[in-house]
Amino acid sequence: MPQAEDWSIKNLLEWTASFFEKKGLDSPRLDAEVLLARVLKTTRVELFVRYDEKPSDDARTQFRELVRRRSAGEPTAYLVGKKEFYSLDFEVDSRVLIPRPETEELVLEAIEHIKRTDKALANDGADSRVWSICDVGTGSGCIAVTLAKYIPNSQVVAVDISPDALQIAQRNAQKHKVEHKITFLEGDLLDPVSLDLSEERRFDIIASNPPYVSESEYARLETTVKDFEPKLALVGGSTGAETPVRLVQQVPERLKSGGRLFMELSPTTVGAVAETMKKDERWTDVEIRRDFAHIDRFVYAVRK
Ligand SMILES: C[S@@+](CC[C@H](N)C(=O)[O-])C[C@H]1O[C@@H](n2cnc3c(N)ncnc32)[C@H](O)[C@@H]1O
């Protein structure tokens, strides 16, 4: 660390960014800024305006502790207790997966489908509808809350097997003022959702980012994921595809005819899941899509 008299915000950031770089972190400067902004209860932009300010001894002690934990691999999102997803802040801690940018792509796809359909209905002079959506494995609630927030005419069911995750998802729903639009259910995949749904009570959309990592991939995951994020949120069975395949077998009985599944997977599981669906005559238009990094990532399909 610099000499005590040199502990300005500027020097703290430069020293920490260089320290994180030597530790091999992916975004050393960004991490340093996010952590210091957290300690000083300010924004990253505000740090630049206050560059020459010298934080108090107490603030520096708190910052040093966060720097130590970050350099040991703990994700920045857990250290600051939040992660931005689709321009909304989500509370996170080690009981839920940190929302990923790939999942924003899935949400974007679902929102675009809804907006396109609503526009076509309006052009036909049809009454507007309420979209009934289910998010399976909701975790922090990032999919359920974002859809409830950005689709005003929606009602959402969010399921998770982890009561801890459901608690956090509920807090995020409250934070974004959509708790009245979301029903939270605890249980295994779609088990908590009745099987005897009449056609009009079935879902229009089922979205899911289920656990899809295999046991062997899990063993090789980087420390920052494996040692800190919940295994329950990551491992989908010995090949990784077991949980997603179980889910796609349960979905058709809860989806309306013409309803859609939006599912995030990994390049190693997407093929097996799509194959299972193609063999099942209840599905049509089963499509594997790539993410922005050109990696096979999503299965989208329509219920016949
Ligand atoms: C990959 S995380 C996704 C979390 C969140 N939807 C997201 O995209 O960030 C998978 C979630 O599924 C939950 N989960 C795992 N197995 C489950 C099961 N059998 N039934 C319901 N939820 C499950 C985990 O607790 C975790 O919250």
Side-chain angles (χ1 to χ4, degrees), residues 136 188-191 193-195 202 206 208 210 236 239 241-255 261 263 265 271-283 286 299 301 303:
V136 189
D188 182 27
L189 301 178
L190 282 164
D191 279 357
V193 177
S194 168
L195 252 184
R202 292 182 179 202
I206 295 186
S208 183
T239 70
E242 287 84 349
T243 301
V245 164
R246 265 197 318 118
L247 176 58
V248 295
Q249 288 164 342
Q250 292 186 351
V251 168
E253 285 155 315
R254 278 102 166 168
L255 204 52
L261 173 71
M263 194 175 200
L265 293 158
V273 175
E275 274 320 299
T276 306
M277 295 174 75
K278 283 177 184 167
K279 285 186 203 138
D280 182 338
E281 58 186 21
R282 296 173 297 177
W283 290 110
V286 177
V299 170
R303 171 78 166 99

Side-chain angles (χ1 to χ4, degrees), residues 5-47:
E5 63 271 18
D6 293 334
W7 276 332
S8 63
I9 286 179
K10 178 173 184 287
N11 286 350
L12 278 170
L13 288 176
E14 282 171 3
W15 186 91
T16 308
S18 140
F19 176 67
F20 282 166
E21 196 172 354
K22 285 186 206 123
K23 291 278 176 185
L25 300 190
D26 286 343
S27 42
R29 174 73 193 197
L30 177 64
D31 285 357
E33 290 171 6
V34 169
L35 295 179
L36 190 55
R38 172 69 174 188
V39 168
L40 299 178
K41 298 185 176 55
T42 184
T43 60
R44 281 176 52 225
V45 173
E46 185 69 17
L47 292 178

Side-chain angles (χ1 to χ4, degrees), residues 18-299:
S18 140
F19 176 67
F20 282 166
E21 196 172 354
K22 285 186 206 123
K23 291 278 176 185
L25 300 190
D26 286 343
S27 42
R29 174 73 193 197
L30 177 64
D31 285 357
E33 290 171 6
V34 169
L35 295 179
L36 190 55
R38 172 69 174 188
V39 168
L40 299 178
K41 298 185 176 55
T42 184
T43 60
R44 281 176 52 225
V45 173
E46 185 69 17
L47 292 178
F48 302 119
V49 181
R50 295 164 56 182
Y51 241 24
D52 295 328
E53 191 180 302
K54 292 183 178 153
S56 67
D57 287 353
D58 184 41
R60 282 204 319 275
T61 305
Q62 286 179 44
F63 182 56
R64 201 176 301 121
E65 174 60 8
L66 291 182
V67 169
R68 184 193 65 70
R69 288 168 63 184
R70 180 69 192 110
S71 64
E74 196 163 340
T76 304
Y78 289 155
L79 292 173
V80 300
K82 64 178 181 178
K83 176 76 183 175
E84 188 187 312
F85 181 88
Y86 220 96
S87 303
L88 299 172
D89 266 350
F90 280 84
E91 180 189 325
V92 290
D93 67 26
S94 58
R95 296 172 295 167
V96 291
L97 190 91
I98 299 166
R100 304 291 205 270
E102 294 82 355
T103 314
E104 292 179 318
E105 293 183 47
L106 176 143
V107 169
L108 176 66
E109 191 68 28
I111 290 178
E112 284 185 343
H113 164 70
I114 291 170
K115 296 255 155 91
R116 263 195 315 271
T117 312
D118 278 351
K119 201 166 165 197
L121 282 173
N123 287 343
D124 290 349
D127 288 342
S128 72
R129 62 193 285 182
V130 173
W131 288 87
S132 143
I133 300 170
C134 182
D135 169 23
V136 189
T138 197
S140 62
C142 59
I143 298 176
V145 170
T146 307
L147 290 176
K149 183 90 188 163
Y150 288 106
I151 308 295
N153 49 332
S154 64
Q155 276 298 330
V156 181
V157 170
V159 186
D160 208 290
I161 202 164
S162 155
D164 286 341
L166 285 170
Q167 238 182 46
I168 295 176
Q170 270 165 311
R171 282 214 290 270
N172 281 318
Q174 279 157 9
K175 182 182 169 88
H176 295 296
K177 303 191 169 35
V178 289
E179 70 275 22
H180 58 289
K181 296 181 67 183
I182 308 181
T183 306
F184 292 93
L185 301 176
E186 184 185 330
D188 182 27
L189 301 178
L190 282 164
D191 279 357
V193 177
S194 168
L195 252 184
D196 311 320
L197 295 178
S198 57
E199 174 69 11
E200 70 276 11
R201 288 182 53 235
R202 292 182 179 202
F203 297 109
D204 298 295
I205 286 181
I206 295 186
S208 183
N209 173 20
Y212 53 65
V213 173
S214 72
E215 286 288 357
S216 61
E217 284 169 331
Y218 181 75
R220 296 193 304 272
L221 280 179
E222 48 190 327
T223 312
T224 173
V225 177
K226 188 163 72 134
D227 292 357
F228 295 97
E229 297 198 71
K231 186 174 183 186
L232 182 63
L234 294 163
V235 175
S238 63
T239 70
E242 287 84 349
T243 301
V245 164
R246 265 197 318 118
L247 176 58
V248 295
Q249 288 164 342
Q250 292 186 351
V251 168
E253 285 155 315
R254 278 102 166 168
L255 204 52
K256 280 181 193 160
S257 171
R260 286 179 191 238
L261 173 71
F262 296 88
M263 194 175 200
E264 178 179 334
L265 293 158
S266 66
T268 50
T269 50
V270 82
V273 175
E275 274 320 299
T276 306
M277 295 174 75
K278 283 177 184 167
K279 285 186 203 138
D280 182 338
E281 58 186 21
R282 296 173 297 177
W283 290 110
T284 179
D285 298 340
V286 177
E287 213 189 320
I288 295 178
R289 293 267 201 97
R290 292 183 161 186
D291 61 20
F292 285 140
H294 302 289
I295 293 171
D296 285 347
R297 174 70 61 197
F298 307 104
V299 170

